[in-house]
Amino acid sequence: MAVPGDPPNGTPDGTGGGDDDFRSDDFHTDEYRSVVFDEDFVRAARLQEYSAQERMGEHARAVRSRSIWSGGSAPRTSTPGRGARQGMLLVLLIATAFAVAVYLGLRNPYVPPPGGPAQALTSTVVPLAPTTAVPGGLPPELFAESPAADYRVGAAGITLPAVRRTHHFTDVQIVTALSIAKDYLVQSSLDPDVLAGAATRPVRVLLDPDQLAQFDRSMTSPSGDGRHAATGWLVRFDPATAVMADSRVRVSGTLAFEEVAQDVLEVTTDHTFVYAVRPATGAPAAADGASLFTVRRELRLRFDRDDLSARRLELASAYVMAGPQDCSADPAGGFRPLLAGAGPTTVGPAASDLYASGHPRRSAGLCGVLAPSATPGAPVRPAP
């Protein structure tokens, strides 16, 4: 059997075919001098020259026939190509995420910067004097015979209106503002410690920080100057005059909201609070004991976005009418009710019905007349 490199016609005669026939001592130059390689032998010989890559052996790097951008179907011959493709995919994902973030940022509504400092509260507190003697009795009987007979008790009487979003405030933000307003009414009009003049913190923590200095001065040095009346911020009885005879305060009123600026929401409250009071310890008391005292509060509350986030408010204005009181008494520091059996006193220029719905009549003076409808047993005047 011929092997590569043998002449095409076999081994020349006279030459050994195996290793045993070839010995180093049999090699004679003269013996092969006559051997001639003919043309067929030369053509049949296989000559092969290795390429540079083949000469490098295992150190040769694999070569891709096409780039990843060629779009061809040539097979991938190495792992580095797949890594490059994954890297390019990662770059595309990052670019897409950035584009989406920019798009969403452009679609979101512009949130304006917070407004300036809160304005000072302006308040008006009007005492209302009775035209007849103040009736006395047991609290349940007094409530049953008064226009407050159908009022709800406590916070249940402060109901929220139907909510619809405005141009710059969402439904959730409006509900938040209304709930803060209700909290303020509850703390400033129904909290027993606040009513007794023993606490102010439940109200203070709900106010804008810019109004705290004014609030603190109103509590420590109340004045009827329209800025620093304690009763403009909250309901408080003079502890030397009257105390609560029944903790179940009767309440009725309304809440309304309005967007007054791009970043300001305003809530208006209009509520009547009816309290059963009795003389303070040591004060002269009538045989019937308790009597009713009515407070009508109309407040204007403002909220910016920071207020909504912090659950606080700015009390912009307060208009308060309360009676029965003596016109000579200064109600700025605390209300001084005329108790059961007290007769009529000097009265002011106009009568005010605290139980009528709608806007309360603004008194021209510093004292008004308690309308007959505010007296237990008297009919309620129809709303105007």
Side-chain angles (χ1 to χ4, degrees):
M1 178 177 176
V3 296
D6 290 341
N9 295 328
T11 304
D13 295 338
T15 63
D19 292 340
D20 294 336
D21 296 334
F22 183 80
R23 300 289 188 269
S24 58
D25 54 358
D26 295 334
F27 183 83
H28 299 287
T29 304
D30 293 339
E31 199 171 325
Y32 293 93
R33 196 172 288 172
S34 61
V35 176
V36 177
F37 296 98
D38 58 14
E39 186 176 354
D40 292 337
F41 181 91
V42 173
R43 288 179 179 177
R46 292 190 306 168
L47 301 177
Q48 179 179 3
E49 182 177 357
Y50 291 98
S51 67
Q53 293 179 356
E54 291 172 332
R55 289 197 300 270
M56 291 175 65
E58 295 180 354
H59 298 286
R61 296 182 61 185
V63 178
R64 294 179 60 86
S65 59
R66 293 173 184 248
S67 69
I68 60 175
W69 303 107
S70 64
S73 58
R76 292 174 295 182
T77 60
S78 65
T79 303
R82 184 168 57 185
R85 192 170 220 170
Q86 291 174 347
M88 190 59 62
L89 214 60
L90 181 60
V91 171
L92 290 175
L93 286 175
I94 294 174
T96 303
F98 180 78
V100 170
V102 172
Y103 174 75
L104 293 178
L106 292 176
R107 283 183 60 88
N108 282 342
Y110 171 71
V111 178
Q119 298 180 354
L121 164 68
T122 58
S123 62
T124 301
V125 182
V126 181
L128 301 179
T131 57
T132 61
V134 178
L138 298 175
E141 297 174 355
L142 293 173
F143 283 126
E145 296 175 359
S146 76
D150 295 328
Y151 285 9
R152 294 182 177 181
V153 177
I158 305 173
T159 58
L160 304 186
V163 173
R164 66 185 185 282
R165 65 167 299 145
T166 63
H167 188 61
H168 296 100
F169 290 88
T170 66
D171 297 353
V172 174
Q173 290 174 319
I174 293 173
V175 169
T176 300
L178 291 172
S179 65
I180 298 172
K182 179 175 181 176
D183 288 345
Y184 185 82
L185 288 172
V186 170
Q187 299 300 332
S188 63
S189 308
L190 300 176
D191 185 287
D193 291 333
V194 172
L195 295 176
T200 59
R201 178 173 173 76
V203 179
R204 191 180 191 274
V205 296
L206 293 173
L207 294 174
D208 188 290
D210 293 332
Q211 292 189 313
L212 295 182
Q214 182 187 10
F215 175 82
D216 292 341
R217 179 180 171 185
S218 301
M219 297 301 111
T220 57
S221 302
S223 171
D225 59 359
R227 297 278 183 174
H228 301 96
T231 47
W233 299 93
L234 46 79
V235 176
R236 168 194 281 181
F237 294 107
D238 178 5
T241 303
V243 295
M244 295 290 293
D246 190 337
S247 61
R248 294 170 296 177
V249 182
R250 285 5 183 222
V251 185
S252 180
T254 60
L255 282 164
F257 62 89
E258 179 185 7
E259 179 183 316
V260 295
Q262 184 175 355
D263 58 344
V264 177
L265 190 68
E266 186 172 279
V267 174
T268 302
T269 76
D270 183 6
H271 289 81
T272 299
F273 301 86
V274 185
Y275 306 88
V277 296
R278 62 177 177 81
T281 303
D288 292 332
S291 60
L292 297 185
F293 187 82
T294 305
V295 179
R296 178 82 175 264
R297 303 182 76 197
E298 182 180 321
L299 309 179
R300 189 161 53 90
L301 317 174
R302 289 196 161 201
F303 302 85
D304 58 26
R305 286 177 171 79
D306 287 343
D307 293 330
L308 296 176
S309 299
R311 291 196 63 83
R312 67 193 185 202
L313 58 87
E314 171 193 342
L315 183 57
S317 66
Y319 190 88
V320 182
M321 295 186 297
Q325 292 186 93
D326 192 331
C327 285
S328 62
D330 182 7
F335 297 123
R336 299 175 182 176
L338 288 174
L339 303 171
T345 62
T346 305
V347 299
S352 298
D353 188 349
L354 300 181
Y355 292 88
S357 61
H359 293 289
R361 179 181 298 176
R362 268 38 175 175
S363 176
L366 297 178
C367 188
V369 176
L370 188 63
S373 62
T375 304
V380 180
R381 188 183 69 183

